[in-house]
Amino acid sequence: MFRRVAIAGMGLIGGSLGLALRGRRLAGEVVGIVRRPATAVEAVSAGAADDAGLDPALVSGADLLVLAAPILACETLLADLAPHLSPGCLVTDVGSTKERLMRTLPPLLPPGCDFVGGHPMAGSEKGGVAAARADLFEGAVWVLTRGPQTPDEAVARLAQLTRALGATPVEMEPHLHDDAVARISHLPHIVAAALAEAAGDGSVPADVLRLLVAGGFRTTTRIAASSPEMWRDICLTNRDAALAALSDCESALARFRSALEAADSDGLLAAFQRGKAVRDSLLPPE
Amino acid sequence: MFRRVAIAGMGLIGGSLGLALRGRRLAGEVVGIVRRPATAVEAVSAGAADDAGLDPALVSGADLLVLAAPILACETLLADLAPHLSPGCLVTDVGSTKERLMRTLPPLLPPGCDFVGGHPMAGSEKGGVAAARADLFEGAVWVLTRGPQTPDEAVARLAQLTRALGATPVEMEPHLHDDAVARISHLPHIVAAALAEAAGDGSVPADVLRLLVAGGFRTTTRIAASSPEMWRDICLTNRDAALAALSDCESALARFRSALEAADSDGLLAAFQRGKAVRDSLLPPE
């Protein structure tokens, strides 16, 4: 499907993409562009790339470049790689927020290269190429975003690739995407961290908590184990939407507080019912 | 181990207990005492009880009575059953909070019967005998609480039973138990509901959310699908501890809010790091 795919950033997403492209023979060759020599060795020995290194010139000859670096690093990274891009190269990213990158990345491209934004809705609280899996994208939605200059053909080509990876491409406005992920991804990460922090404030000894910790805490705080750096950067690129979502969550908690303070049985029931109604409407029972 | 075990309340916990007692041959017979005839039929046909019905006199002859009804129903229930208890019957409960029940239940018993509080740290967001599983308690911690009148021998007898069910008995002060579960169980249920509610406020169309909903939201809100009635009642019996835990969570969220508002990268990182540190200290990586 592609002659030479360059993946800049070989973490969980970049590494999984490399494994999947090679495993499904969707690329003639896959090269990884990384920041540390050890990651290059790790990526190649894991089978995530045919070749990997630190040199931006590795991108030469690629007909697809995927930016899979931490979100705030993508701008500098693309500026470094752009001079080495071959004409006609399709460029995409996998960033968790889209509005900012759709503003900043396309102007960095040389003429003749097209940009399509991307966000595979797949991940894990574990990071790094060691956690990469060839099947990470199977069954996932892969959001695609276009700018005013993006030709239909570039979107269609990337959509075809995501389908070949087992994902479902969905084109969406960057702003709508960012509002939605603020509520179904960024806010949950903030809340999971706050919930874990509230358990660990010292009012109950850690050994007692460790003994009693059960399913509720385990699942609710699972994503609090994610990379703090990654989630800081994602939230910083989506501040307005994250703050709006956080406000709604704070209001919902304030209603729980009022009901608890007043021992208001009906109010407390209604609060739990509202949460259950949304959860049940968005996801089938597990 | 017991001649005749009466289980009052045949939901997820009572039903699972019946299945486990019968499957492991820990009781000569298991009788279920329920509120609705349909539940009696369901419990017997599921194999959770040898016999079941609505008559409180079914408790006669039992050497163990387990109260497995909704927490706020336990007091009335035990008052109804007490006149039919045989001398020497050991009585326990499975309520999710312990302080209140340790105050209200023991005085209802006739002389010659002992009370030991219990809380198996096992459950599911699904309720009812249909969701019951014989292995529900395997590997779970089973908290035991005693009152001033409880003889050592009664605690030892119940501890032995929980071990035979594959659980680990842990004796604990009711107050400490309630403080701990407020943070690792009650607060997570409140927060999961608030998080789901914040997603469903209408600012993002439900079909977009449904499309993008990924692992983070799925796990973080899983327990929001639980019974609103059950969690209302549990929280009402542990208001002070739940409010204290909620305050700490609200403070943690306020720190996220300040950092986001100020685009304070270090503050935001520190907030995510605090959550991760607690999560990692309480639970191994999954």
Side-chain angles (χ1 to χ4, degrees):
Chain A
M1 191 171 286
F2 288 92
R3 222 169 37 243
R4 176 178 169 94
V5 176
I7 304 175
M10 278 275 166
L12 173 69
I13 300 291
S16 295
L17 185 58
L19 286 174
L21 288 170
R22 296 183 76 232
R24 292 168 182 248
R25 300 175 188 284
L26 296 171
E29 60 178 336
V30 173
V31 295
I33 299 163
V34 297
R35 282 185 309 167
R36 296 182 307 120
T39 312
V41 173
E42 206 184 347
V44 172
S45 63
D50 296 286
D51 188 16
L54 283 65
D55 186 356
L58 277 168
V59 82
S60 300
D63 48 354
L64 176 66
L65 165 62
V66 181
L67 302 170
I71 192 159
L72 287 179
C74 283
E75 292 153 29
T76 316
L77 178 64
L78 185 56
D80 288 346
L81 299 176
H84 305 279
L85 281 172
S86 300
C89 183
L90 176 61
V91 180
T92 187
D93 76 307
V94 298
S96 296
T97 67
K98 301 265 59 84
E99 204 171 28
R100 173 181 166 141
L101 295 181
M102 291 307 294
R103 250 185 307 119
T104 56
L105 298 183
L108 297 171
L109 292 188
C113 291
D114 294 316
F115 188 84
V116 180
H119 180 207
M121 302 297 295
S124 163
E125 69 279 12
K126 284 167 245 153
V129 70
R133 290 168 20 211
D135 65 353
L136 187 69
F137 309 109
E138 284 176 24
V141 164
W142 197 309
V143 174
L144 303 180
T145 54
R146 71 165 85 203
Q149 319 284 315
T150 315
D152 288 344
E153 187 238 316
V155 179
R157 195 131 187 257
L158 194 58
Q160 197 187 354
L161 177 68
T162 65
R163 268 189 222 100
L165 292 167
T168 303
V170 174
E171 203 186 323
M172 200 174 280
E173 287 294 320
H175 187 77
L176 180 60
H177 166 275
D178 289 1
D179 280 351
V181 293
R183 286 171 196 269
I184 56 109
S185 174
H186 309 170
L187 179 63
H189 277 84
I190 289 170
V191 163
L195 193 51
E197 194 182 338
D201 78 333
S203 67
V204 177
D207 56 345
V208 173
L209 293 174
R210 213 169 279 128
L211 204 57
L212 297 186
V213 83
F217 186 82
R218 191 181 302 273
T219 59
T220 316
T221 62
R222 183 179 60 81
I223 57 176
S226 306
S227 157
E229 290 79 10
M230 185 172 119
W231 286 96
R232 171 198 61 192
D233 293 352
I234 290 171
C235 289
L236 283 176
T237 62
N238 201 20
R239 282 167 60 213
D240 291 347
L243 279 166
L246 180 53
S247 288
D248 288 337
C249 183
E250 288 176 318
S251 301
L253 289 176
R255 288 189 287 273
F256 270 103
R257 160 171 299 285
S258 305
L260 274 171
E261 281 172 346
D264 170 7
S265 179
D266 292 345
L268 197 52
L269 180 63
F272 278 118
Q273 282 172 334
R274 282 192 297 267
K276 178 171 170 61
V278 176
R279 162 76 196 193
D280 289 350
S281 78
L282 293 181
L283 284 164
E286 282 172 33
Chain B
M1 192 171 287
F2 289 92
R3 222 169 38 241
R4 177 178 168 94
V5 176
I7 304 176
M10 277 275 166
L12 171 69
I13 301 291
S16 295
L17 185 58
L19 286 173
L21 288 169
R22 296 183 78 232
R24 293 168 183 248
R25 300 177 189 284
L26 297 170
E29 58 177 339
V30 174
V31 295
I33 299 163
V34 297
R35 282 185 309 166
R36 296 182 308 120
T39 312
V41 173
E42 205 184 347
V44 172
S45 62
D50 297 286
D51 189 15
L54 283 65
D55 187 356
L58 278 167
V59 81
S60 300
D63 47 355
L64 174 67
L65 165 62
V66 181
L67 302 170
I71 192 159
L72 288 178
C74 284
E75 292 153 30
T76 316
L77 178 64
L78 185 55
D80 287 347
L81 299 176
H84 305 279
L85 282 171
S86 299
C89 183
L90 176 61
V91 180
T92 187
D93 75 309
V94 298
S96 297
T97 66
K98 300 265 59 82
E99 205 172 28
R100 173 180 167 142
L101 295 180
M102 291 307 295
R103 250 185 307 118
T104 57
L105 297 182
L108 299 170
L109 293 187
C113 291
D114 294 317
F115 187 84
V116 180
H119 181 206
M121 303 296 296
S124 163
E125 70 280 10
K126 283 168 245 152
V129 70
R133 289 166 22 208
D135 64 354
L136 187 68
F137 310 109
E138 285 175 23
V141 164
W142 198 308
V143 173
L144 303 179
T145 54
R146 72 165 83 203
Q149 318 284 313
T150 314
D152 287 345
E153 186 239 317
V155 179
R157 195 131 186 256
L158 194 58
Q160 197 187 354
L161 177 66
T162 65
R163 267 188 222 101
L165 292 167
T168 304
V170 174
E171 204 185 324
M172 200 174 281
E173 287 296 319
H175 187 77
L176 180 60
H177 167 273
D178 289 1
D179 281 350
V181 291
R183 285 170 197 268
I184 56 111
S185 174
H186 309 170
L187 179 63
H189 278 83
I190 289 170
V191 163
L195 192 51
E197 195 182 337
D201 78 334
S203 67
V204 178
D207 55 346
V208 173
L209 294 174
R210 212 169 279 128
L211 204 58
L212 296 187
V213 81
F217 186 82
R218 192 181 301 274
T219 59
T220 317
T221 63
R222 183 179 62 81
I223 57 176
S226 306
S227 159
E229 291 79 10
M230 187 173 117
W231 285 96
R232 171 198 59 191
D233 293 352
I234 290 171
C235 288
L236 283 175
T237 62
N238 202 20
R239 281 168 59 212
D240 291 347
L243 279 166
L246 180 52
S247 289
D248 288 337
C249 182
E250 289 176 317
S251 302
L253 289 176
R255 287 188 288 272
F256 270 103
R257 160 172 297 287
S258 306
L260 274 170
E261 281 171 346
D264 170 9
S265 177
D266 291 346
L268 197 51
L269 179 64
F272 278 117
Q273 283 172 333
R274 283 192 297 269
K276 179 173 170 61
V278 175
R279 161 76 195 194
D280 289 349
S281 79
L282 292 181
L283 284 164
E286 281 172 34

